[in-house]
Amino acid sequence: MSFATLGLSEEILRAISERGYTEPTPIQAQAIPVVLSGRDLLAGAQTGTGKTAGFTLPILQRLSVAKNAPGKAPIRVLVLVPTRELAAQVEESVREYGKYLKVSSMTMIGGVNINPQITRLKGRVDILVATPGRLLDHVQQKTVMLSGVEILVLDEADRMLDMGFIRDIRKILALLPKQRQNLLFSATFSDEIKTLADGLLDNPALVEVSRRNTTAEFITQKIYPVDRERKKDLLAKLIKENNWFQVLVFTRTKHGANNLAEYLTKQEIPSLAIHGNKSQAARTRALSEFKSGKLQVLCATDIAARGIDIIELPHVVNFELPNVAEDYVHRIGRTGRAGNEGEASSLVCVDEHKLLKSIERLTRFEIPVVQTPGFEPDPRIKAEPIVNGQNRDRGAKSQKRRGQSSQPAVRQGAGRNAAQPVPRAGGRGR
Ligand code: AMP
């Protein structure tokens, strides 16, 4: 299926193709027609499935068809999200997919000065992406008007409830016009979500996609504890001994991707790096060699990896854990696609134990730990802070910061967490 058959305008299709998407994901293929028809939607989809475009694309289409009445510019779409990070991500999608349309959007999040938001609200805002707490602050100060909202989206509704936003959400719902379209996205369906959906949605279409991207059944996840300076050796060993082919390796920085690709090539593992500093031609060549199997390893940063869509990618390696837990889910979602088995391996050093914890909290899964003999972490090595994607003191051998204790050790146990609610990663909205 192509995007062109879904009923989206030329302007939106152009933006999609520039983003590099050729085919809608299952959630997009199912949700887009429903949203375009004006019907309410209950969608079971989690991050990594392409759900954001699943609602932003048809919303943009609806807004661009039914234009705002002249002279009056109320907020027409309200997207409620649990965290600041998600707000930024959703609004970025709106801007990107809507870049050839005259649609304006804004994020409204807590933790930042409210005054610029007040100023921004005096101008035109078609789509408001907000965290509940800060939105209510604006409501209280009478700096936002919600009486013109035509479409409401509750994104990651289960996380909003986990974070205790239910009362805030109910207060906000009471301020919206009765006549509107409602879209609710949730990864899980607890009784609480069902109650919320029952009260909110009118004869909704149900769309559910498989739990592809968290602890998906098709993805085997492993943690390999190792010292930061020995990661390269361990990776080369794992690739050689397990005979891994088509390995997508994530690094935090472009420089790291380059270095690693060079090192692996020296170890006779054909590797290339792709990242924003490479020319389009170099990237295309690397990708096609990788896809054809000529190139064993591709080292990529998160941004560069966005354009890579290869069905049946068997191995994803986190050479370094991402700073944002959601990125882990995106990264490992690149393997185990379309029902194929995939393996996601993470090399974790002492600096990254906190990041690992937040990933496990987000995915509600305790990732099994595999210790490679000969690569046991040295307990004397202390954790170093990760600043701008790099360890600040890497290379500065003697500069040990005194008094800084290491993070708690990675558990040696393995297995799934019990399904009890746990606090989730990500900043609270207010
Ligand atoms: P989301 O679930 O919305 O957070 O999206 C997960 C990832 O999939 C993001 O990195 C998107 O850029 C990417 N994505 C969304 N739609 C598509 C598509 N149709 N084809 C390829 N990648 C996509």
Side-chain angles (χ1 to χ4, degrees):
M1 184 192 262
S2 77
F3 278 104
T5 58
L6 289 174
L8 301 168
S9 68
E10 277 303 314
E11 290 84 358
I12 297 177
L13 291 175
R14 189 160 19 128
I16 294 172
S17 111
E18 284 176 15
R19 183 78 171 79
Y21 303 160
T22 49
E23 263 189 66
T25 64
I27 188 78
Q28 291 161 5
Q30 295 176 67
I32 291 173
V34 173
V35 181
L36 288 178
S37 75
R39 204 173 154 186
D40 280 4
L41 173 73
L42 178 58
Q46 47 202 306
T47 193
T49 54
K51 67 180 169 64
T52 315
F55 64 82
T56 49
L57 294 172
I59 284 175
L60 286 165
Q61 174 72 25
R62 278 177 71 78
L63 291 194
S64 63
V65 172
K67 296 227 159 58
N68 228 328
K72 174 176 160 273
I75 292 165
R76 299 177 70 191
V77 178
L78 172 62
V79 184
L80 285 181
V81 295
T83 62
R84 298 163 195 167
E85 293 79 10
L86 190 59
Q89 221 172 296
V90 169
E91 205 248 348
E92 194 198 316
S93 299
V94 168
R95 267 189 281 126
E96 182 146 5
Y97 305 134
K99 65 182 176 185
Y100 299 116
L101 302 171
K102 288 201 177 84
V103 169
S104 59
S105 55
M106 146 176 200
T107 48
M108 182 185 273
I109 54 173
V112 295
N113 187 341
I114 199 166
N115 291 328
Q117 294 176 353
I118 294 174
T119 310
R120 175 68 188 87
L121 283 165
K122 289 180 182 152
R124 178 186 161 138
V125 177
D126 297 306
I127 302 180
L128 176 64
V129 185
T131 48
R134 180 50 71 90
L135 177 57
L136 283 176
D137 291 341
H138 279 278
V139 167
Q140 223 165 25
Q141 297 195 25
K142 298 193 169 37
T143 45
V144 69
M145 278 280 292
L146 298 174
S147 56
V149 169
E150 299 162 36
I151 306 175
L152 168 74
V153 183
L154 296 186
D155 192 13
E156 303 202 354
D158 50 347
R159 282 183 80 189
M160 285 201 272
L161 299 194
D162 281 356
M163 292 170 74
F165 281 136
I166 187 66
R167 291 188 58 207
D168 288 355
I169 291 172
R170 294 206 182 281
K171 279 187 206 158
I172 294 164
L173 294 182
L175 301 167
L176 304 179
K178 296 269 169 300
Q179 188 66 34
R180 60 170 198 264
Q181 184 179 15
N182 299 292
L183 317 175
L184 187 152
F185 286 78
S186 185
T188 55
F189 289 100
S190 61
D191 289 345
E192 215 183 353
I193 288 283
K194 284 184 200 139
T195 311
L196 177 68
D198 282 348
L200 178 72
L201 306 173
D202 177 20
N203 183 29
L206 298 177
V207 163
E208 193 158 12
V209 294
S210 62
R211 301 168 57 88
R212 192 186 81 188
N213 264 348
T214 50
T215 56
E217 308 85 81
F218 298 121
I219 306 175
T220 309
Q221 300 174 67
K222 286 179 188 158
I223 297 291
Y224 292 89
V226 59
D227 289 334
R228 85 177 73 82
E229 304 300 341
R230 302 197 63 203
K231 283 189 173 190
K232 283 180 182 166
D233 287 352
L234 176 59
L235 180 59
K237 177 185 162 76
L238 290 172
I239 292 173
K240 280 187 181 161
E241 288 189 356
N242 298 304
N243 223 354
W244 286 349
F245 272 84
Q246 277 201 321
V247 195
L248 178 60
V249 181
F250 284 93
T251 58
R252 277 194 211 110
T253 63
K254 299 172 194 173
H255 181 64
N258 279 340
N259 265 345
L260 187 58
E262 267 174 38
Y263 174 82
L264 292 174
T265 305
K266 276 193 201 135
Q267 304 299 310
E268 293 171 1
I269 301 169
S271 312
L272 278 175
I274 61 162
H275 51 66
N277 288 1
K278 298 255 171 180
S279 70
Q280 189 56 44
R283 284 207 242 179
T284 311
R285 189 172 52 88
L287 262 182
S288 78
E289 286 186 10
F290 186 59
K291 281 186 189 180
S292 72
K294 251 198 254 171
L295 188 66
Q296 196 168 354
V297 175
L298 202 55
C299 301
T301 54
D302 288 284
I303 308 274
R306 282 185 180 183
I308 304 172
D309 197 9
I310 302 171
I311 311 267
E312 295 178 55
L313 190 59
H315 300 284
V316 166
V317 174
N318 294 303
F319 184 74
E320 290 146 332
L321 289 180
N323 292 331
V324 179
E326 275 91 350
D327 285 347
Y328 175 84
V329 177
H330 287 167
R331 287 177 176 189
I332 73 162
R334 304 200 166 268
T335 181
R337 286 193 163 178
N340 296 294
E341 297 277 321
E343 216 173 346
S345 311
S346 302
L347 310 191
V348 177
C349 72
V350 66
D351 312 332
E352 299 171 301
H353 289 173
K354 256 195 190 155
L355 296 177
L356 176 60
K357 274 203 167 160
S358 68
I359 289 166
E360 292 187 326
R361 241 183 275 136
L362 176 76
T363 60
R364 297 182 169 184
F365 180 65
E366 195 174 314
I367 309 171
V369 175
V370 179
Q371 184 61 64
T372 315
F375 285 87
E376 292 82 0
D378 179 345
R380 290 167 304 181
I381 297 178
K382 302 291 180 211
E384 290 179 3
I386 298 162
V387 178
N388 292 331
Q390 281 174 310
N391 288 80
R392 200 161 47 195
D393 287 355
R394 188 170 293 175
K397 291 182 201 115
S398 59
Q399 281 186 30
K400 287 240 174 82
R401 267 177 304 289
R402 275 164 219 284
Q404 189 185 344
S405 65
S406 64
Q407 304 297 337
V410 180
R411 293 161 322 288
Q412 296 299 312
R416 274 166 205 272
N417 277 336
Q420 76 251 31
V422 285
R424 302 296 207 102
R428 235 191 108 119
R430 206 189 276 262

